[in-house]
Each structure stands twice: as structure tokens, then as C-alpha cells.
Amino acid sequence: MRVEIWSDIACPWCYVGKARFEKALAAFPHREQVEVVHRSFELDPGRAKNDVQPVLGMLTKKYGMSQAQAQAGEENLGAQAAAEGLEYRTEDRDHGNTFDMHRLLHLAKEQGRQDELIQAFYQANFAEERSVFAEGDERLVELAVGAGLEAEDARKVLADPTAYADDVRADEREAAELGANGVPFFVLDRKYGVSGAQPAEVFAQALSQAWGERSPLTLIDQGNAGGDADACGPDGCAVPPRP
């Protein structure tokens, strides 16, 4: 079974939602038969790469809230994160464009290190003092290396603005086609969708339901009167005798 997760590194609920989903997945009896794929979704796709600002300033401007309201929201998120065993800095974080991080996540997917890299990005953005936005490409390269990627591979992607750009845009178009207008957004076996950072119990129920309702494969006999046509298998290929 495949679970696809549309998310953005700048999204605190994606950070919390990932932890809640993983708690449910760890207890799922068929855990080893579940493939998890992270898909791209930018919350602020129009933001320029060098446009970095404090999170509180972004929140007050975007949502028209006061500084006190924005800080209270961050404190609430910090408490939600702490309940999942996550670190969360409620002050002095910044906000910026995440497109390059999504491009690197597609590189990591090819190398089987996608989950490690997205977790490194989340940890850096929400828990560490150093910015993932203001320090330039080498900060992203450093995080990519820590997640198991080669530095030169990461630098090549960052130096070429077209590298994996189409993959990111394809993910975002697909999210729109599926009706996702926010993240995190979880799709289980292309049959069920779960929106938002739901409690672990909801994810557990969704996993069980999706697993239980998988359709068995129906084989079609094309005129062989119920018999098996010639094929190759683990024991080799059966070669019919000459007439």
C-alpha cells in the first residue's frame, strides 16, 4: 500500500502531522508493506528566493492578526509539537521560499533518502537557531549531506534552477486535481484522503480501512479454458515439447 503526503517545509502542521502519522504507522501491523512518498506543495509559491522575513511579521501581514495573536498561535503550535515529542522554537524563526528544498527532496527520492531529508529540513526550520532560508545554498547542502546525500549532487541541483522543477510543479498540479487546498494532505492507496494534522488515532483508522478494502487482483482468462498460458516463473520457463 502506498501513502502519499503532500506537505511544505514551512508548514508547522505538516511537521506535527508527520509525527502523528508515523506514530500510527509504527503500530500498524502491515507497516513493512506500506510505502510512504512525500510530495511537493508550496504554501507561498510566489515568494522570491531572497525574500526572508520573521514568522511573526509574516503572520500579522498575511492574516491581519496582532503581534500578540501571532505569538499566541506560535505558543499553541509549540505545545502541540511538544506533545508529539518534537522541538519547536516559538520565537525568532523566519519564513521564506521553499522551492529549492522541494527540488532537493525529489533528488533524495531518487536516492532513497527522502524521509531523512524532509525530517532534516523540518528539524532545521522549526527547532534549530540557524535559518534554512537566510544562509544560502550551502546551508541546504549541509542538511542534504546530513541526510545521506552527496554534497556535489545537491550543489548541482541548486545550481540548475530547472533541475526537478517540473517534478515539483507536477506534484502541485496533482494536489489541485485531488482537491487539496492545504497541507498536510495524506492520500492512501489513491482511494482515501486525510486532510490536516489529525490525531494518531484517525491515521490508524485510515490505514486499517485502506488496507482492509484493497481489491484483490482479478485474473482474466483469454480463451484458455481455465488453464494457465505459458509463462516464466521462479523455477524457469516451461518449454512445450515439439509436436
Side-chain angles (χ1 to χ4, degrees):
M1 184 169 73
R2 170 181 280 200
V3 177
E4 297 162 277
I5 308 174
W6 272 265
S7 58
D8 191 13
I9 297 91
C11 165
W13 288 118
C14 296
Y15 178 47
V16 173
K18 181 176 184 288
R20 291 175 177 172
F21 169 76
E22 288 175 346
K23 184 181 294 184
L25 185 60
F28 186 55
H30 309 286
R31 167 65 186 94
E32 298 306 316
Q33 294 169 268
V34 177
E35 176 192 13
V36 178
V37 179
H38 296 282
R39 308 291 294 272
S40 299
F41 190 107
E42 294 172 277
L43 290 173
D44 202 355
R47 181 177 290 271
K49 182 176 179 178
N50 60 353
D51 183 6
V52 180
Q53 68 178 127
V55 165
L56 292 184
M58 179 273 294
L59 292 173
T60 57
K61 182 178 180 180
K62 186 173 183 178
Y63 299 107
M65 59 177 64
S66 68
Q67 190 88 359
Q69 289 172 322
Q71 184 60 53
E74 284 296 285
E75 296 292 341
N76 175 55
L77 279 163
Q80 298 273 356
E84 304 303 329
L86 301 172
E87 298 177 77
Y88 190 97
R89 296 178 66 239
T90 59
E91 297 180 348
D92 301 323
R93 288 197 305 108
D94 57 14
H95 177 77
N97 182 287
T98 58
F99 187 61
D100 283 346
M101 284 181 267
H102 284 294
R103 295 196 300 119
L104 285 173
L105 283 168
H106 278 278
L107 168 68
K109 179 183 176 183
E110 288 185 351
Q111 299 186 10
R113 309 296 295 180
Q114 193 184 38
D115 190 73
E116 290 84 354
L117 184 57
I118 197 169
Q119 191 60 37
F121 284 156
Y122 280 145
Q123 176 71 19
N125 185 38
F126 293 110
E128 297 178 7
E129 291 187 13
R130 294 177 59 194
S131 173
V132 296
F133 302 109
E135 293 193 24
D137 289 351
E138 281 305 304
R139 173 65 168 142
L140 300 185
V141 171
E142 175 188 313
L143 292 169
V145 170
L149 277 65
E150 294 293 331
E152 190 58 31
D153 291 342
R155 290 192 183 99
K156 285 181 180 178
V157 170
L158 293 171
D160 178 5
T162 68
Y164 300 102
D166 289 344
D167 299 273
V168 175
R169 299 306 183 211
D171 277 359
E172 293 173 338
R173 285 194 302 271
E174 194 163 7
E177 291 166 3
L178 290 170
N181 52 20
V183 285
F185 187 71
F186 302 77
V187 176
L188 290 77
D189 243 14
R190 285 301 168 113
K191 189 173 183 180
Y192 294 101
V194 179
S195 180
Q198 300 285 349
E201 294 78 13
V202 173
F203 288 122
Q205 180 183 354
L207 286 166
S208 295
Q209 186 169 344
W211 182 269
E213 295 186 14
R214 291 176 308 141
S215 299
L217 188 66
T218 300
L219 295 176
I220 298 175
D221 175 19
Q222 297 184 339
N224 288 303
D228 293 329
D230 296 327
C232 295
D235 297 324
C237 301
V239 180
R242 285 180 173 271

